[in-house]
C-alpha cells in the first residue's frame, strides 16, 4: 500500500498534457474577428448555435470555443440563447425532417443583417447521413447559406477562421461602390 502511494506521488499523470495556455495565433484570430464585427455591426458578434440533426461531434468543437482554453467571450464574441439577439447562425448537422421547421423559424426570427454558417461536412450536403429517410439534406436545402466550413468535425480554430473570412468579405462588399 505504501509503495502504491509513493508511486502515485512521483509518477506523472497518464492523461495527455494540456495545450500551452495563451495560444497567440488563436488570440490574434479572435481579435481580428471582433474588429471585423465592430466595423460591420458597430459592436461585438453574437452567435446562435443551431443543431439541425448532428451527431454532436460538431457541437463539442463549437462548445470548446467557450471553454477555459479558447474562452472566446474574452474577445467580446458570445453565444446567445435567442436568434432574436444573433448576427450569425452556426448550423450543424444534416437537416433532419424533424428539425426543418425549427431551422426555418430560427432563420426568420434572426434580424438582418444576418449570416448563416453551415458547420461540418453533414451541414454541407448531409454528409454521412445524406441517404437517410429522416434527412432533408444540407443546410442550404432549407435556408440560404453564406459560408460552409468543412470538416468532420471542423476544429474551433477553423470555425473562427471561417467567421473572420465571412465578416471581412461583408466589410469589403459594404465598402465597394
Ligand atoms: S460533420 Fe461529422 S462530427 Fe459533424 S455532425 Fe456530421 S458526422 Fe458529426
Amino acid at each position: 500500500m505504501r509503495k502504491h502511494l509513493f508511486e502515485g506521488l512521483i509518477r506523472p499523470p497518464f492523461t495527455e498534457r494540456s495545450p500551452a495556455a495563451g495560444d497567440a495565433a488563436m488570440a490574434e484570430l479572435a481579435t481580428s474577428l471582433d474588429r471585423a464585427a465592430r466595423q460591420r455591426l458597430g459592436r461585438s458578434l453574437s452567435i446562435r448555435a443551431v443543431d439541425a440533426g448532428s451527431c454532436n461531434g460538431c457541437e463539442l468543437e463549437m462548445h470548446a470555443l467557450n471553454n477555459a482554453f479558447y474562452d472566446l467571450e474574452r474577445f467580446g464574441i458570445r453565444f446567445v440563447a435567442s436568434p432574436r439577439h444573433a448576427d450569425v447562425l452556426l448550423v450543424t448537422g444534416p437537416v433532419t425532417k424533424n428539425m426543418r421547421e425549427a431551422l426555418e423559424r430560427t432563420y426568420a426570427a434572426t434580424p438582418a443583417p444576418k449570416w448563416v454558417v453551415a458547420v461540418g461536412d453533414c451541414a454541407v450536403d448531409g454528409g454521412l447521413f445524406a441517404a437517410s429517410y429522416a434527412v432533408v439534406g444540407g443546410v442550404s436545402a432549407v435556408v440560404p447559406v453564406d459560408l460552409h466550413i468543412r470538416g468532420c468535425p471542423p476544429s474551433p480554430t477553423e470555425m473562427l477562421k471561417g467567421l473572420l473570412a465571412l465578416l471581412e468579405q461583408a466589410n469589403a462588399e459594404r465598402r465597394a461602390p
Side-chain angles (χ1 to χ4, degrees):
M1 182 65 185
R2 205 183 300 167
K3 179 172 172 273
H4 282 302
L5 282 172
F6 183 69
E7 279 177 1
L9 286 174
I10 59 169
R11 193 175 48 208
F14 288 122
T15 50
E16 281 181 29
R17 293 178 67 82
S18 60
D23 182 343
M26 178 73 192
E28 197 176 312
L29 202 53
T31 306
S32 302
L33 177 58
D34 188 42
R35 195 180 310 122
R38 287 178 190 281
Q39 274 175 11
R40 179 65 181 86
L41 302 165
R43 55 179 166 72
S44 300
L45 194 67
S46 296
I47 300 167
R48 168 71 181 153
V50 183
D51 178 353
S54 90
C55 75
N56 275 0
C58 286
E59 271 68 37
L60 288 173
E61 297 300 313
M62 194 189 297
H63 292 169
L65 287 168
N66 270 340
N67 71 17
F69 177 66
Y70 289 102
D71 193 15
L72 199 62
E73 278 209 18
R74 75 193 138 126
F75 303 102
I77 302 153
R78 62 200 179 107
F79 282 82
V80 292
S82 166
R84 296 188 195 286
H85 303 149
D87 308 301
V88 172
L89 298 179
L90 278 189
V91 188
T92 57
V95 183
T96 60
K97 289 183 178 167
N98 282 350
M99 283 299 292
R100 179 184 194 138
E101 185 183 344
L103 178 58
E104 287 170 341
R105 290 173 67 169
T106 301
Y107 180 79
T110 309
K114 59 186 167 189
W115 298 277
V116 176
V117 179
V119 176
D121 288 347
C122 293
V124 175
D125 56 10
L128 291 172
F129 308 103
S132 167
Y133 68 91
V135 164
V136 178
V139 177
S140 60
V142 179
V143 294
V145 172
D146 300 285
L147 176 73
H148 290 102
I149 301 175
R150 285 194 172 271
C152 182
S155 69
T157 308
E158 284 163 348
M159 291 182 205
L160 274 190
K161 282 183 185 167
L163 284 171
L164 178 58
L166 181 70
L167 282 189
E168 284 181 342
Q169 187 187 330
N171 282 331
E173 284 170 5
R174 199 178 184 207
R175 282 193 295 268

